Amino acid sequence: IVQTGAPDQPVVWRAWALDKRGVAHDVVLDAPPPVARGSSIIGFNLKPKGRYGVHQFTEDGSFLGIWDLRSGRRVTKIPLGNQFGAFSTFSPDETRVAFCTEAGRVIHVCEVGTGREVCTIRLTGRASISGVLFSDNSRRLLTGDNWGGVQVWDATTGKLLRSAQAHRSAVTRFDYSGDNRFYISSSNDGTVQIWDARTDLPASPLLTETGGG
């Protein structure tokens, strides 16, 4: 997804969507005229369907817009007040979106189709979110913080299910294995932790990058 347009022209957001044959189609997002230059896209879903994108914009206030990348039409918009959204992620079933506000200290889970907020998660202490991903079944939310902690939340109630101090520095990424039996958290400290997706417990010792060739 890219922003185009000459300095004296309206901003245009464009997306290139791949069909089942792998052919790319240029889609212009139906962003409203008041979208300000300097607005930003904070996330889009690459798997499994890759249908939606999230774009923060200004239109009589600050909003997150959710766009259908196939048609270019905006599905809904979510008011942010004066906050900035970050670290957005879609559930695998593409019914929910999660994003952070208040400098990564608050997580919002909202319905994609209506924008209705399902739950709000507020962190305690000094930690802030540095990575977020829905579980493979869309029922839980994985988060990592800037202190190296990993948390698992109920994506409907916002209840904390498990928390662990897995790394010594910010968690930057989560990924699931192809069979969804495991997931990994990786950190700026060069470590990777493999987790059992059923129990959310470590499935191996902490792996450390050696720096070899």
Side-chain angles (χ1 to χ4, degrees), residues 9-36:
Q9 298 295 321
V11 171
V12 176
W13 292 94
R14 312 180 79 95
W16 280 265
L18 294 178
D19 63 18
K20 294 181 180 180
R21 299 171 297 170
V23 178
H25 299 276
D26 183 7
V27 179
V28 177
L29 301 187
D30 184 23
V35 170

Side-chain angles (χ1 to χ4, degrees), residues 38-51:
S39 301
S40 58
I41 284 179
I42 68 166
F44 54 95
N45 199 11
L46 290 178
K47 57 184 182 180
K49 302 172 185 177
R51 181 169 183 175

Side-chain angles (χ1 to χ4, degrees), residues 92-107:
D93 62 11
E94 298 201 306
T95 62
R96 296 179 182 181
V97 62
F99 59 91
C100 300
T101 60
E102 298 186 27
R105 298 186 53 78
V106 178
I107 309 163

Side-chain angles (χ1 to χ4, degrees), residues 167 170-175 184-189 191-193:
H167 307 275
V171 176
T172 56
R173 185 180 179 93
F174 292 99
D175 274 304
I184 63 102
S185 59
S186 58
S187 169
N188 277 338
D189 64 10
T191 61
V192 174
Q193 180 65 65

Side-chain angles (χ1 to χ4, degrees), residues 13 31 35 39-43 53-57 63-67:
W13 292 94
V35 170
S39 301
S40 58
I41 284 179
I42 68 166
V54 179
H55 169 214
Q56 179 160 347
F57 64 95
F63 294 88
L64 286 188
I66 298 178
W67 268 265

